[in-house]
Amino acid sequence: MNLLKQRILSDGRCLEGGTLKVDNFINHQMDPALMMAMAQEIANRFSDKGINKIVTIEASGIAPAILAGYLMQVPVVFAKKNIPSTMEHMISTSVFSFTKNRSYDVGISRDFLSADDRVLFVDDFLANGNAALGIIDIVNKAGAQVAGMAFLIEKGFQNGRQKLLDMGMHIESLAIIKSLDNCTITLE
Ligand code: 5GP
């Protein structure tokens, strides 16, 4: 998606360790017009896949997910990170965080995920695929089906895509980073 690619090149910054910082338009300050355009692109790419629910993980996936859900007219559920012990009916799993370098639990209530759901997972980044694998685990535990996975930015030099393809997933990424070597952003 050209609009996003141009924005990454103009406003993205590269941090040591292969992290792309997009705090000024996705991860902290958000650009609503760009976010809506990205959601529209996601909605177009999955319009014929029979999606009836969107699932994301808090926090950065929520903005694109809610806009895509609005456009696709389906409910949006976000996996919670700090699962309160009082929360009932939780389906949870452990996810290793690329940016925080530690594992954390995420969960979704059984009340909002059921066997007749065809789920589209939406997230800001695909890196090693750990967040996506966690969601696949939760969706499977609910007896539901992952019908597709949409990412705003994929880091093509990490192995998330391959892991998900090996599981038969349909993946769409709006921009793919080929390399962040020498702190230079190179897109596919
Ligand atoms: P994965 O689970 O695929 O390894 O990593 C995806 C998650 O880690 C995303 O939800 C995102 O929050 C975070 N992440 C991974 N790589 C980057 C990056 O280069 N920049 C930013 N801002 N977040 C990242």
Side-chain angles (χ1 to χ4, degrees):
M1 186 189 173
N2 276 332
L3 200 60
L4 173 59
K5 289 181 181 174
Q6 285 163 15
R7 192 63 178 270
I8 292 170
L9 291 175
S10 62
D11 286 1
R13 282 200 305 119
C14 180
L15 303 183
E16 289 296 327
T19 299
L20 179 67
K21 205 166 161 66
V22 286
D23 270 26
N24 43 1
F25 60 101
I26 291 178
N27 286 139
H28 195 5
Q29 174 171 262
M30 290 177 279
D31 178 337
L34 176 65
M35 204 61 92
M36 183 57 98
M38 294 190 289
Q40 186 67 67
E41 183 72 24
I42 291 170
N44 293 347
R45 292 191 193 192
F46 287 96
S47 62
D48 60 350
K49 299 288 181 275
I51 308 289
N52 64 357
K53 189 157 286 180
I54 290 179
V55 168
T56 187
I57 298 191
E58 63 176 336
S60 294
I62 294 179
I66 188 80
L67 294 176
Y70 177 79
L71 294 167
M72 297 173 83
Q73 300 182 11
V74 298
V76 179
V77 182
F78 66 89
K80 286 181 176 276
K81 278 184 178 162
N82 295 312
I83 306 169
S85 54
T86 51
M87 196 88 111
E88 289 176 327
H89 310 134
M90 234 25 189
I91 311 172
S92 62
T93 196
S94 177
V95 169
F96 183 79
S97 165
F98 174 84
T99 42
K100 299 196 173 73
N101 200 26
R102 63 173 172 81
S103 291
Y104 59 95
D105 288 338
V106 293
I108 295 178
S109 166
R110 279 187 195 280
D111 297 345
F112 305 121
L113 207 48
S114 60
D116 42 316
D117 284 333
R118 281 181 59 81
V119 169
L120 172 63
F121 174 59
V122 173
D123 205 4
D124 58 343
F125 274 87
L126 171 61
N128 291 318
N130 293 311
L133 291 174
I135 292 301
I136 292 170
D137 185 38
I138 289 176
V139 171
N140 285 343
K141 284 174 180 166
Q145 198 188 337
V146 179
M149 312 200 110
F151 303 94
L152 305 183
I153 302 174
E154 173 180 336
K155 292 154 80 189
F157 54 91
Q158 292 183 243
N159 63 2
R161 173 176 285 266
Q162 196 53 54
K163 287 184 200 164
L164 299 177
L165 288 179
D166 289 347
M167 299 178 82
M169 290 295 151
H170 172 182
I171 306 164
E172 295 284 341
S173 301
L174 306 188
I176 302 181
I177 311 289
K178 196 171 174 184
S179 154
L180 293 175
D181 290 351
N182 305 316
C183 267
T184 304
I185 302 171
T186 311
L187 297 170
E188 275 188 12

